[in-house]
């Protein structure tokens, strides 16, 4: 083979995607966590009060919520739960992104088809997301608990001093299983989000490039990731509301939740008390987080891959 002959593109290794997926997701988490904090507060606002709630809500939308949080708690209030959020992405994102390409290869098998069908990509993404979320659940639980601390009545001491203390307290009071509280809705959400997110980005990028709309570069990555954020939010918001409520609820001496006994119980009580649209509480801040999150994550993911391959060839 001539040295000038064009080499076929190299297939990224699992290790490469573990590293680049984790780094890009941690970067996206850092950029967008103020929106996530606001989203959690909005989703928990008026929980199970229904029409019995008196007075105006504390947070009147995302911008007002972010303003109130920054005024009452300072700028650091918008970054509550950052440490467990980064820990979660280091585990969760590394697994879901690192495994995705290889799970796709498993589904493709010996098939000669040029591109895997979209539905198989959805199944591959959902599989990786569910696996990653089930393993990383303790970090997600601590993040939600710490973000919800501000809901405690004035004068009541905080439950957790810091991230490490939160892990210790939850383990001591609720046992090992307490760290996996809410794993059902968390895994369901992750399967939905990843099934939609990874497959949509992957397939849209393929369609944009193969249709010669633009080449494989920043414009293709931006268009694909921007659309991906909307579809991910649309399908995941109801499960996200249930997950947030299951994880943030107080526990009794036996470690059982005091408000909801299961995901189904949480769903029934939420809809009965607050109506069906309660499942889309926080949709705008959720999209305003997932939209930029997807853009930052996927575009930085592509760049981290370029850097990784450059350093590997150096």
């Amino acid at each position: 083979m001539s040295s000038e002959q064009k080499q076929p593109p190299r297939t990224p290794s699992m290790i490469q995607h573990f590293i680049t997926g984790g780094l890009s997701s941690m970067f996206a988490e850092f950029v967008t966590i103020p929106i996530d904090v606001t989203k959690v507060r909005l989703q928990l606002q008026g929980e199970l009060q229904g029409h019995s709630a008196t007075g105006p809500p504390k947070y009147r939308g995302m911008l007002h919520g972010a303003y109130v949080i920054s005024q009452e708690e300072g700028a650091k209030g918008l970054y509550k739960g950052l440490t467990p959020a980064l820990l979660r992405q280091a585990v969760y994102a590394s697994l879901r992104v690192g495994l995705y390409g290889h799970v796709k290869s498993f589904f493709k098998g010996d098939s000669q088809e040029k591109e895997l069908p979209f539905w198989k990509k959805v199944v591959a993404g959902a599989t990786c997301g569910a696996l990653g979320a089930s393993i990383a659940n303790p970090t997600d639980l601590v993040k939600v608990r710490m973000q919800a601390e501000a809901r405690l009545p004035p004068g009541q001491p905080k439950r957790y001093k810091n991230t490490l203390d939160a892990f210790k307290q939850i383990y001591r009071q609720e046992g090992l299983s307490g760290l996996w509280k809410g794993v059902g809705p968390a895994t369901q959400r992750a399967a939905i989000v990843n099934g939609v997110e990874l497959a949509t980005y992957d397939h849209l990028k393929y369609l944009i490039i193969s249709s010669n709309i633009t080449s494989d570069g920043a414009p293709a990555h931006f268009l694909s990731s921007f659309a991906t954020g909307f579809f991910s939010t649309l399908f995941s918001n109801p499960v996200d509301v249930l997950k947030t409520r299951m994880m943030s609820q107080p526990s009794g001496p036996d470690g059982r939740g005091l408000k909801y006994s299961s995901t189904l119980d949480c769903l029934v009580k939420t809809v009965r008390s607050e109506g069906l649209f309660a499942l889309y509480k926080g949709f705008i801040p959720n999209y305003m987080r997932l939209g930029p999150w997807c853009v930052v994550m996927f575009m930085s993911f592509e760049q981290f891959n370029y850097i990784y391959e450059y350093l590997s060839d150096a």
Side-chain angles (χ1 to χ4, degrees):
M1 180 182 291
S2 171
S3 59
E4 296 182 358
Q5 186 173 347
K6 187 177 179 180
Q7 298 292 326
R10 182 174 58 188
T11 301
S13 67
M14 185 185 295
I15 295 298
Q16 176 179 334
H17 277 176
F18 268 126
I19 295 172
T20 57
L23 287 175
S24 57
S25 297
M26 291 171 73
F27 178 59
E29 194 74 16
F30 176 80
V31 171
T32 62
I33 198 169
I35 306 173
D36 190 41
V37 170
T38 308
K39 178 205 73 174
V40 168
R41 301 282 180 88
L42 285 169
Q43 288 179 335
L44 295 175
Q45 182 170 249
E47 187 173 5
L48 299 184
Q49 292 180 4
H51 299 294
S52 64
T54 58
K58 183 175 182 179
Y59 308 118
R60 299 190 301 273
M62 198 207 78
L63 292 179
H64 181 258
Y67 173 77
V68 171
I69 293 169
S70 63
Q71 290 295 303
E72 293 182 351
E73 306 167 45
K76 66 179 182 180
L78 292 169
Y79 281 87
K80 279 194 172 177
L82 176 62
T83 300
L86 294 179
L87 286 173
R88 176 179 181 268
Q89 292 301 337
V91 179
Y92 168 62
S94 296
L95 285 169
R96 75 182 186 107
V97 179
L99 293 173
Y100 176 66
H102 296 271
V103 174
K104 277 202 312 176
S105 297
F106 171 79
F107 281 116
K108 188 173 183 179
D110 297 327
S111 173
Q112 298 301 311
E113 55 192 355
K114 184 178 179 182
E115 186 69 14
L116 199 67
F118 179 70
W119 73 268
K120 288 187 178 181
K121 293 180 180 179
V122 171
V123 176
T127 302
C128 298
L131 177 62
S134 61
I135 294 173
N137 196 80
T139 57
D140 197 18
L141 176 75
V142 169
K143 182 192 79 168
V144 171
R145 292 275 183 95
M146 293 186 73
Q147 288 178 345
E149 284 278 74
R151 299 171 63 230
L152 296 174
Q156 184 173 332
K158 303 296 184 184
R159 290 183 290 178
Y160 314 116
K161 299 175 184 177
N162 50 49
T163 302
L164 182 59
D165 182 59
F167 279 110
K168 289 180 178 178
Q169 294 269 19
I170 294 170
Y171 176 73
R172 188 179 299 124
Q173 296 172 9
E174 304 171 41
L176 185 62
S177 61
L179 290 167
W180 269 268
K181 184 174 289 182
V183 68
T187 302
Q188 292 160 13
R189 177 188 180 277
I192 293 170
V193 168
N194 283 275
V196 174
E197 185 180 289
L198 295 179
T200 300
Y201 177 78
D202 187 7
H203 209 68
L204 278 178
K205 188 176 80 166
Y206 164 73
L207 292 176
I208 289 171
I209 295 170
S210 62
S211 301
N212 294 320
I213 296 175
T214 183
S215 59
D216 186 5
H221 303 158
F222 175 79
L223 290 172
S224 304
S225 58
F226 185 81
T228 296
F230 175 77
F231 289 109
S232 295
T233 310
L234 184 66
F235 285 96
S236 70
N237 205 91
V239 185
D240 192 43
V241 170
L242 300 179
K243 183 206 76 168
T244 298
R245 294 189 172 193
M246 288 286 290
M247 286 184 167
S248 64
Q249 68 173 324
S251 302
D254 59 356
R256 295 178 182 272
L258 297 178
K259 290 183 178 180
Y260 316 109
S261 59
S262 65
T263 306
L264 180 60
D265 181 52
C266 181
L267 171 64
V268 172
K269 286 181 177 177
T270 298
V271 173
R272 184 179 295 160
S273 176
E274 304 167 57
L276 189 61
F277 284 104
L279 296 175
Y280 277 89
K281 272 191 172 183
F283 178 84
I284 292 176
N286 205 7
Y287 174 64
M288 292 186 72
R289 175 183 180 269
L290 259 182
W293 195 97
C294 284
V295 171
V296 174
M297 184 270 169
F298 283 115
M299 293 194 72
S300 61
F301 172 68
E302 301 285 2
Q303 295 305 311
F304 278 130
N305 277 309
Y306 292 149
I307 294 171
Y308 184 98
E309 289 168 5
Y310 175 80
L311 293 176
S312 297
D313 294 336

